[in-house]
Amino acid sequence: VIRSYHGHLSGVYSIALHPKLDVLMTGGRDSVCRVWDVRTKVQVHCLSGHEQTVCSILAQPTDPQVITGSHDSTIKLWDLRSAKAFSTLTFHKKSVRAMAAHPEEHAFASASADNIKKFALPNGDFLHNTLTQQKSIVNTMAINHENVMVTGADSGGLWWWDWTSGHCFQQEESLVQPGSLEAEKGIYACTFDHSGSRLITCEADKTVKMWKEDADATPASHPGLPYKPPKDIRRF
């Protein structure tokens, strides 16, 4: 341990490092997102406004520099200079446990037990829902440069989505480690590597799993996978 940052009143559920500034954002059960100076360990801001646990944080170099999702089912876009929320998104009905920013587009997606939604930045304009509902608690999501979005759920379900249309083209069920309970196949965190072809997941059975893209897959070899989105798209 190099530094300890003291100030949260309860458990810390989420963390994000600013890509350009030396600041760190943490959110927890005390319903606030605290902004820390990495070097001096001083709390710079306390972003208060949520009514329940802050369970997901996005940090980016452009405005809004901080986006937080909470168990109170809202998403807030923050002005980091004044430490005030300039927009609150109330589209979700349940806890927003996971968010992911697109690596190239100025947009982000948020996942909740009710649906996965896409928003345009900087104002948080609602774009559309995904075409199907995962119908489980989504803990984590990741997006790569090839417009593939992955969501991992408490039930062990890994769903792959087409970012543009919101169409789910593949569903996988994670297998528990031998000796673990069947209930321990929840997925808590996931991320793509820099190539975008490998997915790393952290799961409830104490394992870290690596998933790789099948380079030889074709529509003929995997006839059960619906590659193309349906023509009559109803996303709202």
Side-chain angles (χ1 to χ4, degrees), residues 22-195:
D22 271 337
V23 292
L24 178 76
M25 276 74 78
T26 55
R29 280 177 57 192
D30 49 4
S31 307
V32 296
C33 172
R34 299 183 188 271
V35 183
W36 310 86
D37 187 321
V38 172
R39 294 169 184 238
T40 63
K41 301 185 290 186
V42 173
Q43 179 181 305
V44 183
H45 291 309
C46 178
L47 308 179
S48 58
H50 284 294
E51 295 174 5
Q52 290 183 38
T53 304
V54 177
C55 47
S56 54
I57 301 174
L58 275 184
Q60 55 179 19
T62 55
D63 287 334
Q65 297 186 40
V66 185
I67 305 168
T68 56
S70 169
H71 282 326
D72 63 9
S73 72
T74 65
I75 299 168
K76 287 185 182 287
L77 313 179
W78 300 87
D79 182 355
L80 194 55
R81 296 169 194 81
S82 62
K84 291 180 180 173
F86 65 81
S87 183
T88 302
L89 311 180
T90 56
F91 294 89
H92 284 288
K93 297 183 179 67
K94 296 188 176 175
S95 305
V96 184
R97 293 171 185 260
M99 295 189 297
H102 193 276
E104 290 162 6
E105 290 181 27
H106 201 37
F108 75 99
S110 60
S112 174
D114 57 355
N115 216 321
I116 297 168
K117 299 176 185 287
K118 259 170 67 176
F119 298 95
L121 293 173
N123 299 320
D125 302 316
F126 175 67
L127 295 175
H128 60 79
N129 290 317
T130 49
L131 293 175
T132 47
Q133 293 181 0
Q134 198 158 349
K135 291 186 176 169
S136 55
I137 295 172
V138 179
N139 288 322
T140 177
M141 63 194 310
I143 306 166
N144 69 4
H145 286 274
E146 296 176 346
N147 283 343
V148 175
M149 181 169 70
V150 173
T151 54
D154 251 7
S155 60
L158 263 180
W159 287 31
W160 277 264
W161 308 82
D162 173 32
W163 166 263
T164 309
S165 64
H167 165 62
C168 178
F169 62 86
Q170 187 175 355
Q171 300 175 15
E172 290 285 337
E173 197 82 11
S174 185
L175 301 175
V176 292
Q177 188 80 351
S180 298
L181 300 172
E182 188 64 23
E184 290 182 330
K185 60 181 181 181
I187 298 167
Y188 288 146
C190 73
T191 184
F192 282 103
D193 69 351
H194 284 296
S195 71

